[in-house]
Amino acid sequence: MSEPRAGDDLERYEGMFRFRDQDYYDRHLVFDHVVPMDGANQRQRFEAVARSLRDVLTQRWLLTKETHHRRNAKQVYYLSMEFLIGRTLLNTVNNLGVRGYVEEDLRSDPHQDWAELLDAEPDAGLGNGGLGRLAACFMDSLATLEIPAIGYGLRYEYGMFRQEIHDGSQVEQPDNWLMHPDPWEVARTTESVEVSLNCSFEFQGGTLHRLPGQPIHMLGIPYDRPVAGHGGRTINTLRLWGAASPDFFDFGEFSGGEFVDAVLYKVMAESLTRVLYPDDSTARGRTLRFVQEYFLVGCSLADIVRRFRDRGNAWADLPDKVAIQLNDTHPAMAVAELMRILLDEARLGWDEAWDLTVRTLAYTNHTLLPEALEKWPVEMFQTFLPRLMDIIYEINHRFLGDVRAKYPGDNWVLSRVSLIEETPARQVRMANLAIVGTHSTNGVAQIHSRLLREVTVADLADIFPGRFSNKTNGVTPRRWLLLANPDLAALLTEALGDSWPRDLDRLAELGPLAEDAAFREKFRAARLAAKVRFGNWLKRDLDVEIDPETLVDTQVKRIHEYKRQLLNVLHILTVYHRLRTDSSFDPAPRTYLFAGKAAPAYHLAKRIIRLINDVAAAVNRDPRARGRLRVAFLPNYGVTLAEQVIPATDLSEQISTAGYEASGTSNMKFMMNGALTIGTRDGATIEMGERAGEENIFFFGLTAAEVAARRPSYDPGWHYQNEPETRAVLDMLSSDLISPGDPSRYDLIRQVLLDHGDYFMHLADLGSYIQTHDRIGNLWREDPEGWTRKSILNVAASGYFSSDRTIEEYAREIWDVKPCPIP
């Protein structure tokens, strides 16, 4: 690990982190838990280290807040339903550059085991996929770049769920990540916020009944977590809202024997932030999600306005002091809520309030999938948030008036851009609200931003052409390379010096080293060390064995049809079919790894997980595949698992149907760690090819334009009838080999592929995908030096995909905010 660069930093940190000299660690271990030093367990030791580190951070954290307040600096407020931050301890130690000091101070505790201590911290259950991980990377970059910022999210008690695999199938268990006190968070009860819904409830006959028009009040209790930038100069804040009832329980009802009714509102309020993404296949689940989104917006905007006014600012200065970024449509209610505050509390006129709202808010779109562009029933707004519904109606009325003036007589345009969808049911289009009510809408990759403008919201882009831009996503190199891949990070520091984690453009200097045989040898050694380390971790934690000498082929992301894990499985079955039917077939030895969660109500995705595990069982027990082909599904994918598997991967699968992936960020993490990519021309993978050279990316399949052109006449049955391998593989799905004793187990998958049109065009791309994999296997086996060159060139080209670059673009082009160095 690199130490702080400047001498004064080194001296400062060395003094600050002498835990044992200052009794930080001993005091927290003994007095917080009331245990003797030799009687503490690893969880208690972890909490002692974390609290000691937080103690040291506190002065800098307070100084950051005081400096931002005193200078009245323009501040970024990042609203997101997810922050997939993973574990905090090692990331904070690495960002401060003090890992060596911490480990040295802990050596005097004979019961301390650094690896076990790190494992005692669970992944924070605050996110699920790329949306939340992007938000976490952005928070890291904002602090590293010394930009004043606060992230706002919800404090989910149980996260999404802990994924277990039973008999090959996903089983959801509670992710009780807050079972123990979280040593990083600070409850700020004196800064609690009250939010109200125009709907109450009563409990009758075992059923909860809604009582419209009787307001219910809830408290948002803020829990603050420090976000340390690299170098430790700025410590920004992630503020998470926990829900509570203003009154613990109704004493009169409890005394009268109505025990359930007495605590009803406490239970209801706390349930609001119990889980991330409640099951939205039920009306109650959708209602809970709707209220969660308002709770985030209501609490956060109240807090933002309080901070703004506490600094003595006039309302007219709001856009000059506040930049609010909406991370996808989930916080889009902020448009109406900020208008409500400016109209009802600040008593501004409509035109002034609207101007301030639009100039303060900005919106990031993360999807082209119509079903992911949120819509909420008008009836739900009218029941829970009637004032917001009135404001949305007025926004829409004024907006459509302007549209009529621009497109006289064109009712089709009016119906498409209206904030209200009239059929089949009246719903509020949250993406339209976000676009109309903000000054900026950005996509997250060049192709995504183009398709967003030209296809998804083409009419709105025509009305507001100056509001649309692209901000290609990025990932933080501090976590995804410096922390996750210490051997490669050490080699980069040897070659480039220690400034690259804050200046990832330095990686471009590796390009010429791809032709240096000595460097290639060191590079291969670092890559193998990561694979060996991952194999040891996998055996220890998941009891899965892999051969690090094989080509490790990985697809890790949420399970979804458009991500096309199914295409990957069809290729594996093709290879397996060849092994079974052709004794001369000798593929390059390969290990296929999958990981990802399926939404609890997404039955097809859960069936794909079962298929992956059934294929793994068939392949792994077959002697013909031994040493050549191995398949594993790794349960409960999260940040910690990603930190292990990504550095150990040789081939990254980015195989979404072209035109459906907004950006992807796992593709960038794999590239940064030296994996080569097989992918469609989709999301940011296109830009990766432009920067690394398409000869160093394995592209295959239809382009987005070709997908759109072929869709009207596409017949997946043609591939089944005319491609023998495709037919053989699909027939394997109903064979005893894959589904013994249950030939109908994968009828749903066969129907999706053959009877229901194969919407995501698996079979259209399968032939190209197989041919590309054949080339990959040949390169791995026959030209290891050529593979290593490509790997080095990918790392060299990955500097652009740092989240620091993305945040600099947001700061300059959307937020108009500048760094505020802390003295």
Side-chain angles (χ1 to χ4, degrees), residues 526-575:
R527 298 274 306 129
L528 181 60
K531 295 171 74 173
V532 170
R533 185 171 56 252
F534 171 61
N536 294 337
W537 179 88
L538 206 56
K539 176 62 178 173
R540 186 191 74 226
D541 283 31
L542 298 178
D543 197 27
V544 174
E545 293 190 45
I546 65 166
D547 181 356
E549 297 288 348
T550 63
L551 191 164
V552 176
D553 182 332
T554 304
Q555 187 175 17
V556 288
K557 49 188 78 240
R558 64 188 173 96
I559 311 298
H560 196 289
E561 289 171 86
Y562 91 84
K563 304 279 191 184
R564 296 204 296 190
Q565 286 88 356
L566 189 52
L567 180 63
N568 194 345
V569 174
L570 293 177
H571 168 248
I572 294 172
L573 286 174
T574 301
V575 176

Side-chain angles (χ1 to χ4, degrees), residues 69 157 258 273 425 496 499 574 634 757 773:
H69 180 87
E157 186 176 346
E258 298 294 336
T273 51
L496 306 174
S499 65
T574 301
L634 310 180
H773 264 295

Side-chain angles (χ1 to χ4, degrees), residues 320-576:
D320 298 322
K321 297 298 180 182
V322 172
I324 301 174
Q325 190 69 34
L326 311 179
N327 193 28
D328 216 358
T329 54
H330 307 134
M333 292 185 206
V335 175
E337 176 68 5
L338 185 54
M339 283 295 291
R340 183 196 66 77
I341 292 171
L342 296 176
L343 293 170
D344 299 353
E345 298 178 13
R347 299 295 180 182
L348 303 181
W350 180 277
D351 291 341
E352 184 180 5
W354 183 245
D355 174 68
L356 296 177
T357 294
V358 170
R359 290 198 290 131
T360 299
L361 298 175
Y363 161 57
T364 298
N365 174 278
H366 283 279
T367 184
L368 299 170
L369 295 174
E371 66 269 23
L373 293 173
E374 284 189 313
K375 300 172 186 176
W376 289 115
V378 167
E379 183 270 338
M380 196 175 286
F381 268 101
Q382 291 173 329
T383 299
F384 290 98
L385 303 168
R387 178 56 176 150
L388 292 199
M389 191 67 248
D390 289 342
I391 291 172
I392 291 170
Y393 276 141
E394 183 64 20
I395 294 171
N396 199 42
H397 171 73
R398 292 172 181 246
F399 169 59
L400 292 183
D402 294 338
V403 175
R404 285 190 187 93
K406 184 172 183 177
Y407 303 96
D410 194 337
N411 292 328
W412 283 111
V413 170
L414 290 174
S415 68
R416 289 194 298 266
V417 303
S418 174
L419 306 189
I420 311 298
E421 181 177 85
E422 300 293 341
T423 58
R426 302 193 77 228
Q427 301 184 95
V428 180
R429 294 165 167 157
M430 304 308 289
N432 289 25
L433 176 63
I435 293 168
V436 171
T438 66
H439 71 276
S440 170
T441 294
N442 71 277
V444 290
Q446 289 177 2
I447 185 176
H448 167 244
S449 298
R450 178 177 61 79
L451 292 173
L452 182 69
R453 293 191 309 269
E454 296 177 1
V455 179
T456 309
V457 292
D459 296 303
L460 289 167
D462 187 55
I463 293 168
F464 302 113
R467 293 188 183 181
F468 284 77
S469 68
N470 174 63
K471 299 290 175 282
T472 297
N473 283 341
V475 300
T476 170
R478 271 79 61 181
R479 182 181 284 270
W480 294 110
L481 186 47
L482 184 64
L483 182 155
N485 201 340
D487 294 282
L488 181 57
L491 179 60
L492 296 180
T493 299
E494 177 187 323
L496 306 174
D498 61 3
S499 65
W500 63 266
R502 285 181 66 116
D503 181 11
L504 210 61
D505 289 339
R506 293 287 311 281
L507 296 187
E509 298 171 31
L510 296 174
L513 294 178
E515 300 304 321
D516 184 324
F519 184 80
R520 289 200 303 272
E521 184 176 354
K522 291 181 180 180
F523 188 86
R524 278 195 299 274
R527 298 274 306 129
L528 181 60
K531 295 171 74 173
V532 170
R533 185 171 56 252
F534 171 61
N536 294 337
W537 179 88
L538 206 56
K539 176 62 178 173
R540 186 191 74 226
D541 283 31
L542 298 178
D543 197 27
V544 174
E545 293 190 45
I546 65 166
D547 181 356
E549 297 288 348
T550 63
L551 191 164
V552 176
D553 182 332
T554 304
Q555 187 175 17
V556 288
K557 49 188 78 240
R558 64 188 173 96
I559 311 298
H560 196 289
E561 289 171 86
Y562 91 84
K563 304 279 191 184
R564 296 204 296 190
Q565 286 88 356
L566 189 52
L567 180 63
N568 194 345
V569 174
L570 293 177
H571 168 248
I572 294 172
L573 286 174
T574 301
V575 176
Y576 185 42

Side-chain angles (χ1 to χ4, degrees), residues 97-124:
V98 296
R99 180 170 177 172
Y101 303 134
V102 175
E103 289 182 335
E104 179 183 344
D105 287 336
L106 294 177
R107 288 192 189 104
S108 56
D109 182 350
H111 301 281
Q112 186 63 271
D113 183 292
W114 181 242
E116 290 183 10
L117 179 140
L118 295 176
D119 284 342
E121 180 179 16
D123 280 25

Side-chain angles (χ1 to χ4, degrees), residues 160 275-290 292-293 330 371-372 374-376 380 599-603:
M160 188 176 181
V275 297
L276 167 68
Y277 294 139
D279 183 354
D280 61 2
S281 64
T282 67
R284 283 175 294 184
R286 289 191 294 275
T287 299
L288 177 57
R289 185 62 176 171
F290 176 84
Q292 279 184 338
E293 292 185 4
H330 307 134
E371 66 269 23
E374 284 189 313
K375 300 172 186 176
W376 289 115
M380 196 175 286
Y602 195 172
H603 300 296

Side-chain angles (χ1 to χ4, degrees), residues 246-257:
D247 299 312
F248 186 81
F249 68 93
D250 189 309
F251 187 80
E253 285 190 334
F254 191 87
S255 298

